[in-house]
Amino acid sequence: MKRKETEEVHKLFDEFSKTYILNKQSFLTSDAITISDDHYEDCYKRYVVNYMEGNRSFDSKIDEQFEGAELGPRLVFAHAQWLWTYAVRDKRTETKKGYAKHILSNQDVNLREDVYPYGFGSAGQWHNQNKYNEILFCLILLKVLREKVNSGEIESIQDIKEYTEKFCLFVKYSSFEEELVIPKRYKEDLHESKTATANILLYIVNPDDYEPIASDNHKSKVVSSFSSLVPLDNSEFEDYNTDQIILKIRHVISEYFSPNFD
């Protein structure tokens, strides 16, 4: 359920969707900067195609991968980083701002200060340790959304939310393949690594059906702890995924407590 403390998170996602995805303008700067398809391609090539192995720090690899890059592809990467981290509470506001400042250092732009909410919950260690794949997930999602805006398949904020939900479920459960068209090269690049961001975005785009829980492990523990409340042996639930079972558990518990219990 949508909660008072997450209102700003939802509001910012709507603004981000309108400005950056639909209108193709930078959301992170107070300057009106248009983000082109070529900027996406350049960023994708630098971060994904030219991926760097090795034990060097993430920032040092990024510095090398984006060496000589123009402002556009840097902004694409900065927006993917923002989507990865903006909604979580266990990262300091200055840390979130620092990601954009680093990739856009020496660029003549005015960064916004009002797009970093307090957020909700703790995303946990995996969200940070899996940094490359978390940002990769965001970058691919945003790139596919851009392509669907270009083709006219996505025309509204609600369209963005509905596609994002399906995309997250596909990544989590490898389902919805017939309904969700993801170009083959993106499926191959997504890897098999689970992402906390998929869980975070599910709650952001559809708080009525998902919980503000980033960890797959935590969601599994909810199911194992409360599964006796729902008839999981019933054929009706055979094909339910973890998130659907948790929603059923919420409905049962809501009969005893407030529907908005956390």
Side-chain angles (χ1 to χ4, degrees):
M1 307 294 289
K2 188 178 289 188
R3 296 172 171 81
K4 184 176 181 180
E5 66 268 23
T6 66
E7 286 179 357
E8 189 178 5
V9 168
H10 298 292
K11 181 181 178 181
L12 281 170
F13 184 84
D14 288 354
E15 185 186 345
F16 172 78
S17 296
K18 180 180 179 180
T19 302
Y20 183 72
I21 300 174
L22 294 176
N23 295 339
K24 304 177 181 179
Q25 298 289 310
S26 172
F27 168 74
L28 296 179
T29 63
S30 55
D31 315 281
I33 303 171
T34 300
I35 308 297
S36 72
D37 295 346
D38 288 341
H39 295 156
Y40 269 91
E41 288 299 330
D42 190 0
C43 177
Y44 197 83
K45 181 178 179 181
R46 290 174 183 274
Y47 187 65
V48 185
V49 179
N50 296 334
Y51 169 70
M52 289 184 173
E53 302 278 358
N55 295 323
R56 287 181 298 152
S57 72
F58 183 86
D59 285 346
S60 67
K61 292 179 183 179
I62 291 301
D63 288 342
E64 187 170 340
Q65 286 173 294
F66 282 84
E67 184 177 0
E70 297 180 351
L71 174 61
R74 289 176 179 273
L75 276 171
V76 172
F77 187 76
H79 283 83
Q81 281 192 306
W82 178 87
L83 187 60
W84 161 59
T85 192
Y86 94 99
V88 301
R89 187 174 293 175
D90 56 344
K91 282 189 180 294
R92 294 171 57 249
T93 299
E94 288 306 313
T95 299
K96 297 176 184 180
K97 292 178 182 178
Y99 294 131
K101 289 178 180 177
H102 182 89
I103 190 65
L104 297 172
S105 61
N106 301 320
Q107 301 294 313
D108 187 19
V109 293
N110 296 306
L111 289 172
R112 293 177 61 182
E113 298 283 336
D114 59 342
V115 294
Y116 301 96
Y118 182 50
F120 61 86
S122 169
Q125 291 184 350
W126 182 246
H127 182 248
N128 195 54
Q129 292 174 347
N130 192 41
K131 186 174 181 178
Y132 174 82
N133 286 314
E134 301 284 343
I135 297 174
L136 172 66
F137 170 89
C138 293
L139 180 58
I140 291 178
L141 170 61
L142 293 175
K143 198 169 188 309
V144 177
L145 284 169
R146 160 63 69 107
E147 293 173 4
K148 290 189 174 293
V149 168
N150 289 345
S151 68
E153 296 174 74
I154 286 179
E155 298 179 330
S156 68
I157 294 173
Q158 186 58 34
D159 289 343
I160 291 170
K161 290 180 178 179
E162 290 175 1
Y163 182 83
T164 298
E165 178 180 359
K166 291 180 179 179
F167 186 92
C168 291
L169 291 173
F170 171 78
V171 171
K172 285 194 63 174
Y173 302 111
S174 298
S175 57
F176 295 91
E177 248 184 297
E178 293 183 4
E179 299 177 38
L180 186 68
V181 179
I182 301 179
K184 183 178 179 181
R185 70 160 170 155
Y186 298 140
K187 288 183 182 179
E188 293 173 347
D189 288 338
L190 273 169
H191 303 168
E192 296 181 359
S193 176
K194 297 294 184 181
T195 63
T197 305
N199 286 317
I200 293 166
L201 287 179
L202 281 173
Y203 175 72
I204 290 173
V205 302
N206 187 357
D208 290 335
D209 289 349
Y210 300 95
E211 299 297 323
I213 300 173
S215 167
D216 282 320
N217 184 44
H218 290 178
K219 286 187 173 184
S220 295
K221 287 182 176 180
V222 170
V223 171
S224 64
S225 297
F226 295 98
S227 59
S228 61
L229 296 177
V230 293
L232 298 181
D233 56 340
N234 189 308
S235 60
E236 178 186 354
F237 300 107
E238 284 181 358
D239 297 325
Y240 275 34
N241 61 44
T242 299
D243 288 287
Q244 290 170 321
I245 295 172
I246 290 176
L247 182 59
K248 288 291 182 181
I249 291 171
R250 167 171 284 282
H251 288 163
V252 173
I253 297 178
S254 293
E255 296 176 6
Y256 303 95
F257 299 97
S258 164
N260 294 327
F261 76 90
D262 193 333

